[in-house]
Amino acid sequence: MIRLTMLPAQDGDCLLLEYGDNARTRRILIDGGRAGTYPDIAPTLNTLARENNRLDLLVVTHVDQDHILGVLGLFNDGARPIGFDDVWFNGYDQLVDSEFESFGPIDGELLTSALLNQQIPWNRAFKGKAVELGRPFEWFDDDSAIALLSPDRAQLSDLIETWERECSREGLIPGRNPEEPPPRGFEAFGRIDIEALAGSRFEADTSKTNRTSIGFLFEYDDVRLMFTGDGDDHRLVDSVRPLAEAEGGRLRLDALKVSHHGSRKNLSKDLLDLIDCKRYLISTNGKRHGHPDPVAIARILKYGGPQKELVFNYRSRAALWDLDGWRDTYHYSVAQPQPEQDGFMILNQW
C-alpha cells in the first residue's frame, strides 16, 4: 500500500505519505503549509493518532512561510495528539554545520525553539547534522528506499548571511521571494500559446531560501515519487542526471511534486528531459502568486512525456487547464478533488 494525500495548504505544501502493509504502516508528513493550514489538517492528524500516536518522520523542506507556519501551528497546539520519531529540518546551526547552540527571532528560529523546548527528535537520522547531499544518514529498515536530491553544502552556506541579517532585525523571513513578480492571474498572458511559452528562455529562481529546500526521491513497492519543496532546478538536474543515465537516459517516476508550486523559475526543459513521469502534482490555491505559472505548465505539456496527468489539490487551479483542445493536442488529463473536498487530493492508484 502506498497513499499520498495533498492537504489544503493554501498557496503552500502539506503532503502526507503513507506506505506499508498489514504488519506496518509508516507515515511521513512533508511541510505544513500556511498558518491557516493547521486547523484544516488537524482532523486528519487526529484520525492518524487514533491508529498510532506518532508520525515516523516530519520533513520541513525549508523556512518559507507557506511551508513552515502550519508546522509552527502544529507544534504550538498544546493538545497536539501526535508526536514525531524524527524531524528533518535545516535551521541556522545546520547552515553553519555546528552543534545546537543558538537561535533567534525568525520563523526558522521559532521552529528551532519548539524542537529544543519540546525535546522533539531533530535530524536524528543525520546525527543532528544538516540534511544535505553527501552526508550519510539512516533510513527505515523496510523495503523502501530514499535518495536525497537537495540541498548541497554551498546552498545551505549561502543562506547564512540572510538568516543572520533577519535575526539581527528581529524580523521574519518573507513568505514570498522578493524577486518574484507581483501576483498575476492567468489572464495576464492573454491568449495562451503553449508552444511559445514552453520554448521561452529559462531563468532560474534566485531565492536563497528556496535553494535550501530538502528534496528527495522515494521508492517503495516499485513506485517512485519525487518531492522537491521549492527546490533549485539546477541542483535537481545535477542530482537526477546520473540516476537517469543509469536507466538509459530517463528516470522513471510515478509522480513529481512540481517545485515551487509550478513556478516558471523552478522547472526547466532540462529536468523534464531527464524524467519519464506519469503525474505532475501542483500544490497551491494560487491566491498569492498566481501559481502555477502558465510557462511551467506549458513546459510540462510540451516536454513532460507522451501521456501525463496534471494533479491539482484546488479546483480553481485545475479549471484553467481542463480544456478539451489542449488535452487532445498535448495528451494529458486533469485530476482534481471533489467540490466538498477542495484542497484535499488523495492518490493511491499507481
Side-chain angles (χ1 to χ4, degrees):
M1 180 277 292
I2 181 167
R3 177 169 57 241
L4 177 65
T5 304
M6 302 169 68
L7 294 160
Q10 299 180 23
D11 61 317
D13 281 354
C14 186
L15 309 167
L16 176 64
L17 174 62
E18 302 171 273
Y19 72 94
D21 52 30
N22 293 332
R24 178 71 163 90
T25 298
R26 295 197 186 275
R27 296 181 174 90
I28 300 171
L29 185 65
I30 305 168
D31 288 327
R34 287 277 176 186
T37 298
Y38 179 58
D40 290 335
I41 69 171
T44 299
L45 297 179
N46 288 335
T47 299
L48 295 179
R50 288 194 288 270
E51 300 175 17
N52 186 341
N53 66 355
R54 302 189 70 79
L55 292 172
D56 294 276
L57 177 62
L58 167 63
V59 180
V60 185
T61 60
H62 64 300
V63 297
D64 278 351
Q65 292 182 336
D66 55 331
H67 295 254
I68 197 173
L69 288 184
V71 176
L72 289 173
L74 170 63
F75 281 12
N76 291 333
D77 181 2
R80 185 182 75 231
I82 205 158
F84 315 92
D85 286 341
D86 198 5
V87 177
W88 289 8
F89 167 66
N90 286 327
Y92 178 76
D93 294 288
Q94 285 76 37
L95 301 184
V96 298
D97 204 20
S98 67
E99 298 299 327
F100 307 144
E101 294 177 352
S102 62
F103 49 90
I106 58 174
D107 291 326
E109 300 297 319
L110 293 174
L111 182 55
T112 294
S113 300
L115 288 166
L116 294 174
N117 293 339
Q118 299 179 36
Q119 299 182 336
I120 296 171
W122 181 7
N123 289 359
R124 173 184 284 174
F126 294 81
K127 301 186 184 305
K129 295 291 188 176
V131 181
E132 64 176 298
L133 288 172
R135 187 181 297 279
F137 65 95
E138 298 176 357
W139 185 244
F140 302 123
D141 185 16
D142 55 23
D143 293 328
S144 68
I146 189 170
L148 276 183
L149 303 175
S150 66
D152 59 33
R153 170 48 42 189
Q155 290 172 318
L156 292 172
S157 297
D158 197 37
L159 182 58
I160 293 173
E161 181 180 351
T162 299
W163 193 296
E164 291 176 338
R165 183 173 63 250
E166 293 298 322
C167 282
S168 70
R169 294 175 180 171
E170 297 188 357
L172 297 174
I173 289 181
R176 73 183 199 57
N177 173 12
E179 290 86 9
E180 195 78 31
R184 59 188 170 197
F186 189 80
E187 66 280 359
F189 285 82
R191 181 178 176 83
I192 299 296
D193 184 335
I194 299 296
E195 297 293 323
L197 292 181
S200 62
R201 180 173 175 269
F202 178 72
E203 296 181 6
D205 189 353
T206 57
S207 166
K208 292 183 178 181
T209 53
N210 287 347
R211 285 162 52 84
T212 65
S213 288
I214 297 171
F216 58 93
L217 176 66
F218 173 84
E219 184 170 5
Y220 177 75
D221 198 22
D222 203 36
V223 174
R224 285 179 180 167
L225 310 176
M226 183 169 160
F227 298 95
T228 60
D230 287 356
D232 172 52
D233 181 84
H234 292 320
R235 175 65 269 168
L236 294 172
V237 166
D238 286 347
S239 293
V240 169
R241 180 173 286 112
L243 303 177
E245 290 174 349
E247 295 191 0
R250 287 184 180 267
L251 176 67
R252 179 187 61 80
L253 293 178
D254 292 278
L256 167 68
K257 203 294 294 186
V258 179
S259 180
H260 201 187
H261 325 289
S263 168
R264 68 162 80 186
K265 297 182 179 181
N266 299 78
L267 181 66
S268 69
K269 180 179 182 295
D270 289 345
L271 181 60
L272 292 169
D273 283 344
L274 291 172
I275 62 176
D276 177 12
C277 186
K278 298 177 181 178
R279 285 172 160 172
Y280 295 86
L281 314 184
I282 312 292
S283 175
T284 182
N285 62 8
K287 289 188 177 179
R288 289 180 182 253
H289 304 298
H291 289 153
D293 195 303
V295 174
I297 298 296
R299 287 175 182 147
I300 293 173
L301 299 189
K302 178 68 174 178
Y303 307 117
Q307 297 288 338
K308 56 268 181 185
E309 183 177 47
L310 303 181
V311 181
F312 299 86
N313 62 335
Y314 284 95
R315 293 174 61 83
S316 61
R317 298 292 91 190
L320 302 175
W321 299 98
D322 196 10
L323 302 173
D324 290 340
W326 286 348
R327 289 200 310 265
D328 294 342
T329 300
Y330 294 100
H331 308 291
Y332 72 97
S333 59
V334 173
Q336 58 185 308
Q338 295 298 315
E340 65 276 10
Q341 289 291 309
D342 202 30
F344 291 86
M345 192 65 192
I346 299 175
L347 305 171
N348 55 15
Q349 299 296 325
W350 306 101

